Amino acid sequence: MYYIKKLFKMIFSIYLIGTISFLLLELIPGDPAMAILGVESTPEDIAMMRETLGLNKGVLERYLSWGANLLSGNLGDSFKYGEPVSLLIKERLPLTLEVAIITVIMVVMVSVPLSFSIYRIRNKYVKKVINFLIGLCISLPSFWIGILSMFIFGVILRWFSIGYNRSFTSLLLPCIVIAIPNIGVFTSYMKNNLDKELREEYIKYLYTNGVKKFWLNIYILKNSIIPIIPLLGILIIDLITGVVIVEQIFSIPGIGRLMVTAVINRDLPLVQGIIFYTSAVLVIINFFIDIVYSLVDPRIRGER
């Protein structure tokens, strides 16, 4: 029953997001026909273009038409590129997802062992320095880290390529840039979980009954990672929706750059398609994160 409810919520969320995005874009000022033809176009040309694009129809008629096309997988053609919106998104979305996956792997592989190492440190002065560095990582904006790292590691040291050149190595520096603030967040959260878990009664019970320190650390680490799962979902969502600036800096032709271009050119079908596709992907990811979390911690199914 729990999974069925989640499935219905996911479907309803996708529908609601699509409807809201369509209505909000209708309220944006400006004329897509004029954006395509230019300010020097005649009223007759603008009227013909509006008719070609279907903008002369009412909002309700366009919404119903958009919904019917959506069910058949047709998101229309881009005003700017003249190509199917679904094709443009399918070309760009995999690259953004690749950046997100590499970044998540970096964050998990660094933050989990790092937080466990910090948890074992007993010197309070060393901990203060580490906490300061973690706070610094969290507070640094990605665009500033991106520009600085590009200058140092791309221009001066030449360890990485400055922009994207279709190779895996050209994605490493952008992923590191995105990962740094998130490593700070995850390490801080994980460290607090470890401290909290250490004070639990079952740990004291196991310790007094002679359980080896190695197994104690395994129990503490395992139970500290479980609350991280929802945060992992939030991180993935944040990465897919928030890489626009980094994609601009490193010239990565991902979904973020495509969205910026679509908004600037008032390309309504493309904007609607990007919002719908990315929202659908995020809702589905969130659905699977909830399922995994409920399997790892069965108490969640009972609470919800």
Side-chain angles (χ1 to χ4, degrees):
M1 192 65 183
Y2 171 80
Y3 301 117
I4 295 173
K5 285 182 180 179
K6 282 290 180 184
L7 183 62
F8 275 111
K9 284 183 179 179
M10 180 187 73
I11 295 170
F12 180 72
S13 297
I14 292 173
Y15 160 75
L16 197 62
I17 289 168
T19 301
I20 292 172
S21 64
F22 178 88
L23 295 175
L24 285 177
L25 288 171
E26 291 297 324
L27 298 175
I28 297 175
D31 189 349
M34 185 176 288
I36 295 170
L37 296 174
V39 293
E40 296 181 357
S41 56
T42 63
E44 291 78 13
D45 292 336
I46 293 174
M48 288 180 62
M49 179 59 72
R50 286 181 62 82
E51 186 175 354
T52 303
L53 300 175
L55 298 174
N56 58 332
K57 299 176 182 178
V59 175
L60 181 60
E61 188 179 353
R62 274 184 283 134
Y63 172 71
L64 294 174
S65 176
W66 180 77
N69 290 332
L70 186 65
L71 291 174
S72 63
N74 179 19
L75 296 174
D77 293 335
S78 166
F79 292 166
K80 175 177 172 57
Y81 298 99
E83 297 180 29
V85 169
S86 55
L87 181 63
L88 290 169
I89 294 172
K90 287 174 184 177
E91 288 175 353
R92 305 291 187 96
L93 188 58
L95 187 57
T96 299
L97 290 175
E98 185 179 353
V99 171
I101 291 168
I102 295 171
T103 305
V104 169
I105 293 171
M106 286 181 177
V107 170
V108 173
M109 290 186 67
V110 173
S111 61
V112 172
L114 180 61
S115 57
F116 194 70
S117 301
I118 295 169
Y119 144 79
R120 294 171 64 92
I121 295 173
R122 294 291 174 261
N123 190 310
K124 64 178 182 180
Y125 297 107
V126 175
K127 277 197 169 185
K128 284 183 178 179
V129 173
I130 292 171
N131 288 334
F132 170 76
L133 293 175
I134 291 172
L136 187 64
C137 288
I138 296 172
S139 61
L140 290 175
S142 295
F143 74 88
W144 185 83
I145 302 174
I147 295 170
L148 187 65
S149 61
M150 183 186 288
F151 179 71
I152 295 173
F153 299 108
V155 177
I156 298 177
L157 299 177
R158 297 182 182 276
W159 290 356
F160 298 95
S161 59
I162 295 177
Y164 176 67
N165 57 13
R166 298 185 178 275
S167 66
F168 174 78
T169 53
S170 64
L171 290 177
L172 290 178
L173 187 58
C175 290
I176 292 170
V177 168
I178 302 170
I180 288 174
N182 291 295
I183 287 172
V185 172
F186 262 71
T187 303
S188 177
Y189 193 75
M190 185 74 183
K191 182 172 63 69
N192 293 335
N193 285 345
L194 288 167
D195 290 336
K196 181 183 176 182
E197 203 65 31
L198 184 63
R199 293 192 292 268
E200 293 290 336
E201 291 297 325
Y202 81 92
I203 294 295
K204 297 175 184 177
Y205 174 79
L206 292 174
Y207 181 75
T208 54
N209 281 272
V211 176
K212 291 182 179 180
K213 195 172 182 181
F214 172 79
W215 292 111
L216 283 176
N217 288 332
I218 293 295
Y219 287 129
I220 293 170
L221 184 60
K222 183 186 73 172
N223 292 327
S224 298
I225 288 176
I226 291 175
I228 293 291
I229 295 174
L231 191 63
L232 196 62
I234 295 171
L235 171 63
I236 296 171
I237 292 170
D238 182 57
L239 289 175
I240 296 175
T241 57
V243 297
V244 178
I245 297 174
V246 174
E247 285 185 354
Q248 289 290 107
I249 293 172
F250 289 94
S251 301
I252 300 174
I255 204 74
R257 288 191 76 189
L258 185 64
M259 183 67 165
V260 172
T261 305
V263 171
I264 292 173
N265 290 278
R266 289 276 303 168
D267 196 339
L268 295 184
L270 187 53
V271 174
Q272 289 167 349
I274 292 171
I275 292 174
F276 181 80
Y277 253 86
T278 53
S279 299
V281 168
L282 299 181
V283 170
I284 292 168
I285 288 172
N286 198 44
F287 170 75
F288 282 109
I289 290 291
D290 282 344
I291 298 301
V292 171
Y293 193 32
S294 67
L295 292 174
V296 173
D297 190 353
R299 295 173 298 175
I300 300 300
R301 296 197 293 269
E303 291 174 1
R304 299 183 185 181

